[in-house]
Amino acid sequence: MDYVRQESFHGIGKEGQKRLKNASVAILGVGALGCVCSELLARAGIGKIILYDFDKVQEHNLHRQALYSEKDVGKDKVKAAKERLEIINPEVEIIIKSNKVDEDNVKIDATLALDCLDD
């Protein structure tokens, strides 16, 4: 992908874009907020995105969960999100974790973690 607009921005530049490519972000929850965050990070060229969610795509959430469509209803959110994010930016490594997030079952190994959980 070409990141010429970001690289031309004084605050990022070529070195900043390299740092983004080498970064990893864990996104806890791929509902409405997690969809937006993961899409923007994929478009920005983050090197690795780790998605955590145990839920399935539901029709009544489609109006606010922008990565999903009707064809995704019933699929694991993380699997459907990965499919869409790989279309948006095939250069980003997407790791999926289909488990409920709590302090006993999640070890986050990432540059940054975003809490996009409902509660």
Side-chain angles (χ1 to χ4, degrees):
M1 257 188 145
D2 186 359
Y3 301 101
V4 69
R5 292 285 194 184
Q6 285 175 203
E7 290 173 353
S8 67
F9 180 66
H10 175 73
I12 297 177
K14 288 192 180 288
E15 280 305 310
Q17 192 61 48
K18 285 180 190 173
R19 286 195 304 274
L20 290 174
K21 182 176 177 146
N22 292 324
S24 58
V25 178
I27 299 179
L28 312 177
V30 195
L33 183 58
C35 282
V36 172
C37 291
S38 61
E39 180 175 350
L40 292 175
L41 290 168
R43 290 182 185 281
I46 294 297
K48 179 169 35 173
I49 298 173
I50 308 153
L51 304 174
Y52 290 85
D53 206 308
F54 70 97
D55 209 356
K56 301 211 179 285
V57 177
Q58 298 173 7
E59 187 173 9
H60 68 269
N61 287 325
L62 291 177
H63 69 284
R64 54 192 195 84
Q65 296 179 356
L67 288 178
Y68 314 123
S69 69
E70 288 182 351
K71 72 176 184 62
D72 298 316
V73 172
K75 287 183 183 178
D76 289 343
K77 282 184 178 179
V78 290
K79 289 180 182 175
K82 178 179 176 158
E83 290 171 5
R84 179 72 176 125
L85 293 170
E86 287 175 338
I87 291 168
I88 290 169
N89 190 343
E91 295 176 0
V92 176
E93 179 183 5
I94 308 292
I95 310 264
I96 58 174
K97 307 283 186 172
S98 297
N99 55 296
K100 191 164 184 155
V101 175
D102 67 35
E103 61 196 43
D104 297 323
N105 70 359
V106 172
K107 179 184 180 293
I108 299 171
D109 184 23
T111 308
L112 177 71
L114 298 179
D115 180 354
C116 299
L117 298 168
D118 291 336
D119 52 16

